[in-house]
């Protein structure tokens, strides 16, 4: 699952008012645990998932894991 | 899941079985392929098929006694395909120079062939090709035997000589004028590894094994007329070839009998229904041989017998290009696989479990049962993809929660006494029904979950009608029968649900359930046979319809029967009686009653594979020019969403003034929840005159939702309450992202096993929703939380 950086740079964390940074983030689904590069707030750590990523690659990986 | 039993079921499927023409051909020419090549004008390809299966095809193709023709299915619709004439045409138009075959070294053994007639020549050629040293003993001074009797227009003397010469070309040893008698045979049997006896006559009767053609356990094998006791040329040819197979197995010391059950003529298990085909007479020859055009036209009459009845009726099988035998092999693989991808999951979850396949099958093979059992097995092994049925199961949980579920006895006489005054009591059947109340619940109206979601305004009217018309007190029970759990293969959940239903039934002292939903009817039949049920539609027929002036514009309707009622012919009749009574004409669909199709909701395919569900919808709505009449809420909603004018029976029984019912679009997923809750509120307030206990989910924020976003919300199975929860969390905790350029916010919240995202803009007091999406994958943020509230 690869991070897609189309228009995400202009989003800020609203709570911390900080720009997002690319960082290694742990994700989990069923028995699958991975580390992927995603945009997140360097202060509060909230992770940004864009629509294209959620409905594209992420869904594909979910379905792949469900069929394992 | 018993996979051996599963594979046995797959083996029973006759889809892959050969047509009767090929089974009746002793050498099994692939006649459908052969005709298909001719149909395309590919005479050379057809020729190659003759070359592959027919020994001495240049001779046999001209003189074959064609046992394939008489049993041809086309004989019932215009006359058998003239396969024999087509073979002659192919020899004429498709011949090409044969490729040079390099002979094998002759080191496998010595075989004597007695009799240089057709069967002997074939045994000789087949064994020679495999590397045996062959010697032919012929009593005359030329090869061919009775083949010479066939010399005429078709098989010329020149052609026969040319074909026989190939024996010499192969350097096969031939002894002419060599009479073989009993004594000589005894000698040959000692000199050779095996002997083939293919003479027309013999001094004494010989008994050979009917499968191997071996005489006792000797080295002697028999074929031709002597064995067949028939003049058939093709039978002779086949026996020579089969004897050669036995001889090779014998000399190689392998089993003579293994896997030979379909050699020669056999009865194919294939059954084919030609009744739907237009009769077409055979194409007549304008000369001795078909012209190419005539041959093509004749070949086109072939109906390519193959059992496809279930496939023709089922858009699911067609979409995945599956016959039951192939489907079952895929399930078998999917079930056995331990490491790797379960590629068949999506397919298995795309079946509507409607049961039409079994109705159509000559052998009652039910892919519905097979697939259902597979889903239960997937579920039990933890291999069912969670996303496939999650929404439907949550919807079921909603319906069985306090937000919808309700059980009440009929309001007692005591509670209703304020209604018992003139003229109400003389004009209202409902009030009369209440007045006759006994306190003993004879009936329990169980409208199911989808009917109240689609027809929230009619449930009270139906209840009042029932109280006023059926004999005995009528209670109400709101909830979900468990059909989603059943379709999802969730046996545990299903059993829990059934136990809950049984408990209510027992507490109410075993009333008869009045059902209005076809899925409920199916579930009650399957899981609750001890509960007596009646369909609402049967009651309307028995007790009379509630209103008199229903019809607005008389018209003809096509009735789409609900697949859950497939076996319920009484119910089909009741529906038709109601439609006729209401003044509408009926034109039956080709697939109706016990052969009805699924609308595209069944088996939860609507949730598991929307594209497949759409295919069910579009096929079904294309089957009638008339408006459709349905009696299942989901059928109605799906057909209307597919663009078809469709009435639900309730649209006609309880007509309303607000717009055209045939085009009324389905409530959204969120509206379905709200409608159910509203039904409960209405009933409690207006029938039982109770103040509802439960507070309805309040919509905290005013939302503005553009149409395209509304469509996304539906397609992505997101509820308004999910959106509200995301917004509430974002607004309260500022847990969101902002885009200074556009002024948009993006907020998320994990609810249960799904993370929901909402992109929005704030417009004074309201929220403009720009997009919504979700994912099931969990993001583990560094402080250990996953962005959720639970």
């Amino acid at each position: 699952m690869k991070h897609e950086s189309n228009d995400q740079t202009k989003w800020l964390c609203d709570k911390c008012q900080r720009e997002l940074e690319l960082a290694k983030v742990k994700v989990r689904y069923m028995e699958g645990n991975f580390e992927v590069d995603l945009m997140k707030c360097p202060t509060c750590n909230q992770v940004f998932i864009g629509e294209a990523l959620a409905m594209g690659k992420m869904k594909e990986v979910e379905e792949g894991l469900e069929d394992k | 899941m018993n996979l051996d039993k599963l594979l046995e079921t797959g083996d029973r499927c006759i889809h892959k079985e050969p047509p009767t023409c090929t089974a009746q051909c002793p050498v099994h020419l692939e006649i459908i392929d052969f005709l298909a090549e001719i149909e395309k004008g590919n005479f050379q390809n057809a020729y190659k098929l003759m070359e592959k299966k027919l020994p001495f095809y240049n001779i046999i193709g001209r003189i074959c006694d064609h046992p394939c023709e008489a049993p041809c299915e086309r004989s019932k619709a215009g006359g058998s395909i003239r396969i024999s004439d087509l073979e002659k045409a192919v020899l004429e138009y498709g011949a090409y120079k044969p490729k040079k075959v390099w002979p094998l070294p002759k080191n496998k053994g010595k075989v004597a062939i007695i009799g240089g007639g057709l069967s002997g020549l074939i045994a000789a050629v087949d064994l020679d090709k495999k590397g045996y040293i062959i010697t032919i003993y012929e009593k005359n001074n030329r090869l061919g035997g009775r083949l010479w009797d066939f010399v005429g227009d078709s098989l010329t003397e020149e052609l026969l000589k040319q074909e026989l010469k190939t024996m010499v070309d192969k350097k096969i040893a031939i002894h002419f004028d060599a009479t073989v008698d009993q004594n000589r045979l005894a000698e040959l049997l000692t000199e050779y590894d095996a002997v083939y006896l293919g003479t027309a006559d013999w001094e004494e009767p010989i008994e050979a094994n009917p499968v191997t053609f071996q005489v006792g356990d000797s080295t002697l094998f028999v074929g031709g007329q002597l064995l067949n006791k028939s003049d058939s040329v093709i039978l002779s040819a086949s026996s020579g070839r089969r004897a050669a197979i036995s001889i090779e197995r014998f000399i190689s010391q392998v089993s003579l009998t293994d896997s030979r059950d379909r050699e020669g003529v056999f009865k194919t298990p294939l059954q084919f229904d030609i009744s739907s085909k237009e009769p077409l007479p055979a194409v007549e020859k304008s000369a001795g041989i078909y012209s190419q055009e005539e041959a093509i036209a004749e070949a086109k009459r072939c109906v390519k017998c193959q059992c496809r009845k279930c496939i023709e009726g089922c858009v699911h099988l067609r979409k995945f290009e599956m016959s039951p035998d192939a489907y079952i092999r895929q399930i078998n693989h999917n079930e056995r696989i331990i490491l790797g991808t379960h590629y068949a999951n999506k397919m298995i979850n795309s079946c509507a479990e409607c049961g039409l396949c079994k109705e159509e099958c000559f052998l009652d093979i039910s892919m519905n049962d097979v697939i259902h059992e597979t889903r239960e097995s997937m579920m039990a092994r933890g291999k069912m993809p969670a996303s496939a049925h999650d929404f439907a199961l949550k919807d079921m949980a909603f319906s069985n929660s306090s937000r919808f579920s309700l059980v009440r006895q009929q309001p007692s006489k005591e509670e209703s006494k304020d209604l018992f005054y003139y003229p109400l009591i003389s004009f209202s059947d409902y009030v009369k029904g209440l007045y006759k109340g006994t306190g003993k619940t004879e009936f329990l109206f169980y409208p199911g979950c989808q009917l109240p979601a689609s027809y929230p305004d009619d449930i009270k009217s139906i209840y009042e009608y029932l109280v006023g018309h059926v004999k005995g007190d009528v209670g109400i029970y709101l909830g979900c029968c468990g059909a989603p759990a059943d379709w999802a293969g969730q046996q545990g959940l299903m059993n829990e649900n059934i136990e809950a239903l049984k408990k209510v039934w027992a507490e109410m002292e075993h009333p008869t359930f009045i059902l209005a939903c076809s899925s409920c009817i199916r579930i009650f039949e399957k899981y609750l046979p001890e509960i007596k049920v009646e369909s609402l539609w049967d009651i309307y027929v028995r007790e009379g319809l509630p209103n008199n002036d229903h019809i607005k514009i008389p018209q003809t309707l096509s009735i789409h029967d609900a697949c859950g009622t497939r076996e319920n012919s009484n119910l089909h009749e009741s529906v038709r009686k109601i439609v006729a009574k209401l003044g509408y004409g009926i034109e039956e669909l080709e697939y109706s009653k016990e052969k009805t199709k699924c609308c595209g909701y069944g088996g939860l395919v609507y949730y598991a594979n929307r594209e497949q569900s759409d295919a069910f919808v579009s096929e079904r709505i294309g089957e009638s020019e008339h408006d459709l009449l349905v009696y299942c809420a989901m059928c109605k909603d799906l057909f209307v969403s597919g663009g078809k004018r469709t009435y639900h029976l309730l649209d006609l029984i309880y007509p309303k003034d607000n717009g055209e019912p045939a085009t009324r679009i389905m409530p959204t997923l969120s509206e379905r929840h709200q409608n159910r809750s509203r039904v409960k509120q209405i009933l409690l307030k207006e029938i039982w005159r109770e103040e509802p206990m439960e507070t309805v989910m309040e919509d905290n924020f005013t939302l503005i939702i553009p149409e395209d976003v509304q469509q996304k919300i539906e397609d992505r199975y997101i509820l308004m309450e999910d959106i509200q929860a995301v917004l509430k969390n974002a607004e309260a905790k500022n847990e969101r992202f902002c885009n200074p350029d556009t002024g948009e916010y993006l907020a998320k919240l994990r609810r249960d096993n799904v993370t929901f995202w909402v992109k929005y803009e704030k417009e004074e007091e309201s929220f403009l929703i720009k997009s919504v999406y979700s994912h099931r994958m969990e993001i583990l943020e560094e402080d250990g939380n996953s962005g959720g509230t639970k």
Side-chain angles (χ1 to χ4, degrees), chain B residues 398-444:
Chain B
F398 173 93
S399 294
N400 286 331
S401 76
S402 61
R403 290 167 73 182
F404 177 57
S405 185
L406 175 74
V407 184
R408 285 289 182 280
Q409 289 187 309
Q410 180 174 308
S412 69
K413 269 177 94 167
E414 181 58 28
E415 288 162 337
S416 314
K417 61 184 177 200
D418 58 322
L419 299 173
F420 303 150
Y421 61 86
Y422 186 83
L424 200 56
I425 196 154
S426 46
F427 291 113
S428 164
D429 289 333
Y430 170 59
V431 174
K432 263 187 266 181
L434 291 179
Y435 186 72
K436 288 181 199 157
T438 62
K440 160 96 173 74
T441 305
E442 300 288 348
F443 294 91
L444 203 49

Side-chain angles (χ1 to χ4, degrees), chain A residues 1 7 10-17 20 23-31 33-34 36 38-41 44-52 54-55 57-59 61-68, chain B residues 338 340-343 345-346 382-388 712 716 733-742 744-746 748 750 753 757 759 770-783 786:
Chain A
M1 202 167 68
D7 67 344
K10 56 193 173 195
W11 289 95
L12 303 178
C13 173
D14 195 46
K15 199 179 352 184
C16 313
Q17 287 297 314
L20 307 182
K24 288 239 177 294
V25 175
K26 282 183 186 152
V27 299
R28 176 171 70 197
Y29 190 56
M30 300 174 69
E31 273 116 68
N33 280 288
F34 324 80
V36 284
L38 292 169
M39 298 299 280
K40 69 169 196 174
C41 170
C44 73
N45 286 323
Q46 73 165 329
V47 177
F48 181 100
I49 309 282
E51 182 167 357
M55 300 311 293
K57 196 70 197 168
M58 209 159 174
K59 196 172 167 65
V61 172
E62 285 172 7
E63 285 174 356
L65 288 167
E66 286 186 339
D67 285 343
K68 278 281 168 243
Chain B
I338 293 165
T341 301
H342 294 71
Y343 288 106
N345 284 355
K346 182 106 178 175
K383 293 292 178 190
M384 177 60 86
S387 62
K712 269 189 193 174
R716 295 173 178 181
K733 300 187 191 163
N734 265 10
E735 262 184 29
R736 62 188 176 190
F737 300 94
C738 63
N739 189 329
D741 297 343
T742 60
E744 290 170 334
Y745 292 104
L746 181 66
K748 65 161 189 297
R750 189 147 182 101
N753 49 3
W757 290 80
K759 189 156 88 175
K770 306 290 284 280
S771 190
V772 289
Y773 53 94
S774 69
H775 55 79
R776 310 176 71 83
M777 195 170 282
E778 214 175 336
I779 311 296
L780 304 170
E781 293 180 351
E782 259 168 39
D783 55 0
S786 56

Side-chain angles (χ1 to χ4, degrees), chain B residues 545 547-557 578-585 647 651-655:
Chain B
L545 290 168
N547 304 311
N548 289 321
D549 50 342
H550 317 277
I551 193 157
K552 290 181 177 163
I553 311 151
Q555 66 174 111
T556 300
L557 301 172
I578 294 171
V579 174
K581 182 115 184 162
L582 290 166
Y584 293 87
Y647 294 98
D651 292 325
L652 307 183
I653 297 175
Y654 296 98

Side-chain angles (χ1 to χ4, degrees), chain B residues 431-485:
Chain B
V431 174
K432 263 187 266 181
L434 291 179
Y435 186 72
K436 288 181 199 157
T438 62
K440 160 96 173 74
T441 305
E442 300 288 348
F443 294 91
L444 203 49
F445 177 40
Y446 190 81
C449 60
Q450 300 296 18
L451 193 73
S454 293
Y455 287 85
D457 300 323
D458 292 333
I459 304 302
K460 177 178 165 249
S461 309
I462 297 169
Y463 179 72
E464 288 177 341
Y465 166 85
L466 291 171
V467 171
H469 287 81
V470 301
K471 286 171 192 62
D473 283 17
V474 184
I476 196 151
Y477 183 2
L478 300 181
C480 170
C481 67

Side-chain angles (χ1 to χ4, degrees), chain B residues 195 197 206-209 212-222:
Chain B
V195 174
L197 183 60
I206 288 190
E207 285 300 319
N209 180 305
T212 65
F213 307 164
Q214 187 182 19
V215 178
D217 54 3
S218 72
T219 55
L220 180 62
F221 295 81
V222 191

